[in-house]
Amino acid sequence: MIGVLAAGAIAFPLTMRYARPAAVWVARHLSHEAVIGAFVGLVLVVSLYEGGAYGILVLLSVGLIGGLLNKTIGMHAGVQCMAYYIAVLSVPAFLG
């Protein structure tokens, strides 16, 4: 608990002071595609680490289904996020 409090005491002031300048620097000096590419790479690495080949298949299927729902019926990404969030609780309950 002491470590958590010490980390919070150090990180919070730094975050409040330097978050905006860091975001402005990223927006001015890095391309939009580079930021998206870094995020995609991070998601791929985490899904591969957590689920192996099945993790990648789940990632692709969720992404494709989410994109189709957004394109065809205009389902907002926030609605999809909440649906994925509650699926962990509701699907096992439905399956018994």
Side-chain angles (χ1 to χ4, degrees):
M1 193 63 177
I2 293 171
V4 171
L5 292 174
I10 294 169
F12 182 75
L14 291 173
T15 303
M16 291 298 112
R17 178 173 291 159
Y18 297 113
R20 178 160 169 60
V24 169
W25 185 88
V26 168
R28 287 191 181 151
H29 293 93
L30 295 178
S31 70
H32 183 68
E33 292 82 9
V35 175
I36 291 173
F39 183 69
V40 167
L42 176 67
V43 170
L44 281 171
V45 166
V46 169
S47 65
L48 184 64
Y49 178 75
E50 291 291 329
Y54 290 123
I56 299 293
L57 289 173
V58 168
L59 172 73
L60 290 174
S61 63
V62 167
L64 288 172
I65 291 170
L68 286 172
L69 288 172
N70 191 332
K71 274 289 197 202
T72 57
I73 62 174
M75 183 181 286
H76 192 271
V79 174
Q80 293 180 31
C81 181
M82 292 310 295
Y84 301 145
Y85 183 74
I86 65 163
V88 174
L89 301 172
S90 60
V91 170
F94 290 142
L95 295 177

